[in-house]
PDB file of all heavy atoms in Angstrom:
ATOM      1  N   PRO A1258     111.654  81.090 103.016  1.00 98.00           N
ATOM      2  CA  PRO A1258     111.138  79.845 102.435  1.00 98.00           C
ATOM      3  C   PRO A1258     109.984  80.183 101.492  1.00 98.00           C
ATOM      4  O   PRO A1258     109.120  80.980 101.827  1.00 98.00           O
ATOM      5  CB  PRO A1258     110.658  79.018 103.654  1.00 98.00           C
ATOM      6  CG  PRO A1258     110.722  79.926 104.838  1.00 98.00           C
ATOM      7  CD  PRO A1258     111.584  81.102 104.493  1.00 98.00           C
ATOM      8  N   GLY A1259     110.033  79.580 100.289  1.00 98.00           N
ATOM      9  CA  GLY A1259     108.971  79.819  99.330  1.00 98.00           C
ATOM     10  C   GLY A1259     109.211  80.993  98.375  1.00 98.00           C
ATOM     11  O   GLY A1259     108.383  81.253  97.506  1.00 98.00           O
ATOM     12  N   GLU A1289      97.422  84.548  90.880  1.00 98.00           N
ATOM     13  CA  GLU A1289      97.055  83.188  91.294  1.00 98.00           C
ATOM     14  C   GLU A1289      98.043  82.602  92.287  1.00 98.00           C
ATOM     15  O   GLU A1289      97.659  81.938  93.252  1.00 98.00           O
ATOM     16  CB  GLU A1289      96.979  82.304  90.043  1.00 98.00           C
ATOM     17  CG  GLU A1289      96.512  80.897  90.319  1.00 98.00           C
ATOM     18  CD  GLU A1289      96.518  80.025  89.056  1.00 98.00           C
ATOM     19  OE1 GLU A1289      96.435  80.571  87.937  1.00 98.00           O
ATOM     20  OE2 GLU A1289      96.602  78.800  89.223  1.00 98.00           O
ATOM     21  N   LEU A1290      99.315  82.874  92.059  1.00 98.00           N
ATOM     22  CA  LEU A1290     100.337  82.191  92.872  1.00 98.00           C
ATOM     23  C   LEU A1290     100.557  82.793  94.247  1.00 98.00           C
ATOM     24  O   LEU A1290     100.933  82.073  95.177  1.00 98.00           O
ATOM     25  CB  LEU A1290     101.683  82.206  92.127  1.00 98.00           C
ATOM     26  CG  LEU A1290     101.907  81.156  91.046  1.00 98.00           C
ATOM     27  CD1 LEU A1290     103.322  81.271  90.491  1.00 98.00           C
ATOM     28  CD2 LEU A1290     101.661  79.751  91.575  1.00 98.00           C
ATOM     29  N   VAL A1291     100.337  84.093  94.399  1.00 98.00           N
ATOM     30  CA  VAL A1291     100.648  84.728  95.698  1.00 98.00           C
ATOM     31  C   VAL A1291      99.989  83.986  96.870  1.00 98.00           C
ATOM     32  O   VAL A1291     100.675  83.571  97.805  1.00 98.00           O
ATOM     33  CB  VAL A1291     100.327  86.230  95.692  1.00 98.00           C
ATOM     34  CG1 VAL A1291     100.292  86.788  97.097  1.00 98.00           C
ATOM     35  CG2 VAL A1291     101.356  86.992  94.855  1.00 98.00           C
ATOM     36  N   PRO A1292      98.676  83.782  96.845  1.00 98.00           N
ATOM     37  CA  PRO A1292      98.079  83.067  97.985  1.00 98.00           C
ATOM     38  C   PRO A1292      98.540  81.622  98.107  1.00 98.00           C
ATOM     39  O   PRO A1292      98.644  81.088  99.219  1.00 98.00           O
ATOM     40  CB  PRO A1292      96.560  83.148  97.718  1.00 98.00           C
ATOM     41  CG  PRO A1292      96.420  83.500  96.275  1.00 98.00           C
ATOM     42  CD  PRO A1292      97.654  84.219  95.865  1.00 98.00           C
ATOM     43  N   ILE A1293      98.810  81.000  96.973  1.00 98.00           N
ATOM     44  CA  ILE A1293      99.278  79.605  97.014  1.00 98.00           C
ATOM     45  C   ILE A1293     100.658  79.527  97.680  1.00 98.00           C
ATOM     46  O   ILE A1293     100.883  78.673  98.535  1.00 98.00           O
ATOM     47  CB  ILE A1293      99.306  79.007  95.579  1.00 98.00           C
ATOM     48  CG1 ILE A1293      97.887  78.880  95.018  1.00 98.00           C
ATOM     49  CG2 ILE A1293     100.034  77.670  95.561  1.00 98.00           C
ATOM     50  CD1 ILE A1293      97.815  78.448  93.559  1.00 98.00           C
ATOM     51  N   VAL A1294     101.546  80.443  97.283  1.00 98.00           N
ATOM     52  CA  VAL A1294     102.876  80.438  97.877  1.00 98.00           C
ATOM     53  C   VAL A1294     102.789  80.723  99.370  1.00 98.00           C
ATOM     54  O   VAL A1294     103.386  80.023 100.188  1.00 98.00           O
ATOM     55  CB  VAL A1294     103.796  81.484  97.165  1.00 98.00           C
ATOM     56  CG1 VAL A1294     105.089  81.682  97.943  1.00 98.00           C
ATOM     57  CG2 VAL A1294     104.082  81.045  95.733  1.00 98.00           C
ATOM     58  N   GLU A1295     101.998  81.736  99.729  1.00 98.00           N
ATOM     59  CA  GLU A1295     101.849  82.079 101.162  1.00 98.00           C
ATOM     60  C   GLU A1295     101.354  80.858 101.933  1.00 98.00           C
ATOM     61  O   GLU A1295     101.946  80.507 102.968  1.00 98.00           O
ATOM     62  CB  GLU A1295     100.878  83.244 101.340  1.00 98.00           C
ATOM     63  CG  GLU A1295     101.444  84.603 100.922  1.00 98.00           C
ATOM     64  CD  GLU A1295     100.439  85.728 101.276  1.00 98.00           C
ATOM     65  OE1 GLU A1295      99.437  85.482 101.984  1.00 98.00           O
ATOM     66  OE2 GLU A1295     100.679  86.850 100.824  1.00 98.00           O
ATOM     67  N   ASP A1296     100.297  80.249 101.453  1.00 98.00           N
ATOM     68  CA  ASP A1296      99.696  79.119 102.168  1.00 98.00           C
ATOM     69  C   ASP A1296     100.679  77.958 102.268  1.00 98.00           C
ATOM     70  O   ASP A1296     100.712  77.228 103.262  1.00 98.00           O
ATOM     71  CB  ASP A1296      98.417  78.623 101.477  1.00 98.00           C
ATOM     72  CG  ASP A1296      97.283  79.591 101.680  1.00 98.00           C
ATOM     73  OD1 ASP A1296      97.443  80.539 102.469  1.00 98.00           O
ATOM     74  OD2 ASP A1296      96.239  79.420 101.019  1.00 98.00           O
ATOM     75  N   SER A1297     101.467  77.757 101.202  1.00 98.00           N
ATOM     76  CA  SER A1297     102.366  76.593 101.144  1.00 98.00           C
ATOM     77  C   SER A1297     103.449  76.643 102.213  1.00 98.00           C
ATOM     78  O   SER A1297     103.992  75.602 102.592  1.00 98.00           O
ATOM     79  CB  SER A1297     102.988  76.479  99.765  1.00 98.00           C
ATOM     80  OG  SER A1297     101.986  76.293  98.793  1.00 98.00           O
ATOM     81  N   VAL A1298     103.793  77.851 102.660  1.00 98.00           N
ATOM     82  CA  VAL A1298     104.851  77.959 103.671  1.00 98.00           C
ATOM     83  C   VAL A1298     104.316  78.599 104.975  1.00 98.00           C
ATOM     84  O   VAL A1298     105.094  79.029 105.818  1.00 98.00           O
ATOM     85  CB  VAL A1298     106.077  78.751 103.148  1.00 98.00           C
ATOM     86  CG1 VAL A1298     106.738  78.015 102.012  1.00 98.00           C
ATOM     87  CG2 VAL A1298     105.687  80.184 102.702  1.00 98.00           C
ATOM     88  N   ASP A1299     102.982  78.647 105.062  1.00 98.00           N
ATOM     89  CA  ASP A1299     102.339  79.217 106.274  1.00 98.00           C
ATOM     90  C   ASP A1299     102.829  80.634 106.543  1.00 98.00           C
ATOM     91  O   ASP A1299     103.087  80.986 107.705  1.00 98.00           O
ATOM     92  CB  ASP A1299     102.591  78.330 107.498  1.00 98.00           C
ATOM     93  CG  ASP A1299     101.749  77.073 107.464  1.00 98.00           C
ATOM     94  OD1 ASP A1299     100.641  77.138 106.910  1.00 98.00           O
ATOM     95  OD2 ASP A1299     102.230  76.041 107.955  1.00 98.00           O
ATOM     96  N   ALA A1300     102.920  81.422 105.503  1.00 98.00           N
ATOM     97  CA  ALA A1300     103.385  82.810 105.663  1.00 98.00           C
ATOM     98  C   ALA A1300     102.228  83.671 106.175  1.00 98.00           C
ATOM     99  O   ALA A1300     101.038  83.344 106.003  1.00 98.00           O
ATOM    100  CB  ALA A1300     103.901  83.351 104.353  1.00 98.00           C
ATOM    101  N   ASP A1301     102.573  84.777 106.819  1.00 98.00           N
ATOM    102  CA  ASP A1301     101.579  85.730 107.290  1.00 98.00           C
ATOM    103  C   ASP A1301     101.247  86.782 106.240  1.00 98.00           C
ATOM    104  O   ASP A1301     100.227  87.473 106.343  1.00 98.00           O
ATOM    105  CB  ASP A1301     102.103  86.442 108.543  1.00 98.00           C
ATOM    106  CG  ASP A1301     102.387  85.444 109.675  1.00 98.00           C
ATOM    107  OD1 ASP A1301     101.462  84.699 110.013  1.00 98.00           O
ATOM    108  OD2 ASP A1301     103.533  85.430 110.171  1.00 98.00           O
ATOM    109  N   ALA A1302     102.134  86.943 105.283  1.00 98.00           N
ATOM    110  CA  ALA A1302     101.998  87.977 104.264  1.00 98.00           C
ATOM    111  C   ALA A1302     103.038  87.747 103.191  1.00 98.00           C
ATOM    112  O   ALA A1302     103.751  86.720 103.235  1.00 98.00           O
ATOM    113  CB  ALA A1302     102.213  89.349 104.910  1.00 98.00           C
ATOM    114  N   SER A1303     103.141  88.649 102.264  1.00 98.00           N
ATOM    115  CA  SER A1303     104.212  88.538 101.269  1.00 98.00           C
ATOM    116  C   SER A1303     104.564  89.907 100.748  1.00 98.00           C
ATOM    117  O   SER A1303     103.735  90.827 100.753  1.00 98.00           O
ATOM    118  CB  SER A1303     103.796  87.629 100.101  1.00 98.00           C
ATOM    119  OG  SER A1303     102.595  88.082  99.514  1.00 98.00           O
ATOM    120  N   ILE A1324     108.137  86.934  94.586  1.00 98.00           N
ATOM    121  CA  ILE A1324     107.113  86.724  95.625  1.00 98.00           C
ATOM    122  C   ILE A1324     107.894  86.249  96.850  1.00 98.00           C
ATOM    123  O   ILE A1324     108.451  85.136  96.859  1.00 98.00           O
ATOM    124  CB  ILE A1324     106.065  85.671  95.236  1.00 98.00           C
ATOM    125  CG1 ILE A1324     105.364  86.062  93.933  1.00 98.00           C
ATOM    126  CG2 ILE A1324     105.047  85.483  96.378  1.00 98.00           C
ATOM    127  CD1 ILE A1324     104.404  84.971  93.406  1.00 98.00           C
ATOM    128  N   PRO A1326     107.623  85.419 100.661  1.00 98.00           N
ATOM    129  CA  PRO A1326     106.769  85.190 101.836  1.00 98.00           C
ATOM    130  C   PRO A1326     107.302  85.963 103.046  1.00 98.00           C
ATOM    131  O   PRO A1326     108.519  86.058 103.247  1.00 98.00           O
ATOM    132  CB  PRO A1326     106.820  83.684 102.055  1.00 98.00           C
ATOM    133  CG  PRO A1326     107.153  83.131 100.694  1.00 98.00           C
ATOM    134  CD  PRO A1326     108.100  84.136 100.113  1.00 98.00           C
ATOM    135  N   ARG A1327     106.396  86.512 103.821  1.00 98.00           N
ATOM    136  CA  ARG A1327     106.802  87.270 105.009  1.00 98.00           C
ATOM    137  C   ARG A1327     106.130  86.698 106.251  1.00 98.00           C
ATOM    138  O   ARG A1327     105.011  86.177 106.188  1.00 98.00           O
ATOM    139  CB  ARG A1327     106.391  88.755 104.821  1.00 98.00           C
ATOM    140  CG  ARG A1327     107.040  89.409 103.618  1.00 98.00           C
ATOM    141  CD  ARG A1327     108.548  89.516 103.772  1.00 98.00           C
ATOM    142  NE  ARG A1327     108.926  90.198 104.971  1.00 98.00           N
ATOM    143  CZ  ARG A1327     109.085  91.498 105.107  1.00 98.00           C
ATOM    144  NH1 ARG A1327     108.929  92.269 104.043  1.00 98.00           N
ATOM    145  NH2 ARG A1327     109.430  92.065 106.243  1.00 98.00           N
ATOM    146  N   PHE A1328     106.834  86.822 107.340  1.00 98.00           N
ATOM    147  CA  PHE A1328     106.384  86.231 108.613  1.00 98.00           C
ATOM    148  C   PHE A1328     106.425  87.261 109.696  1.00 98.00           C
ATOM    149  O   PHE A1328     107.357  88.095 109.720  1.00 98.00           O
ATOM    150  CB  PHE A1328     107.290  85.024 108.968  1.00 98.00           C
ATOM    151  CG  PHE A1328     107.302  83.979 107.892  1.00 98.00           C
ATOM    152  CD1 PHE A1328     108.200  84.089 106.820  1.00 98.00           C
ATOM    153  CD2 PHE A1328     106.445  82.897 107.937  1.00 98.00           C
ATOM    154  CE1 PHE A1328     108.206  83.127 105.789  1.00 98.00           C
ATOM    155  CE2 PHE A1328     106.436  81.953 106.932  1.00 98.00           C
ATOM    156  CZ  PHE A1328     107.339  82.052 105.846  1.00 98.00           C
TER     157      PHE A1328
END
Side-chain angles (χ1 to χ4, degrees):
E1289 183 182 337
L1290 279 184
V1291 165
I1293 292 173
V1294 169
E1295 285 186 10
D1296 287 351
S1297 298
V1298 295
D1299 286 328
D1301 300 306
S1303 55
I1324 302 174
R1327 300 296 304 272
F1328 302 85

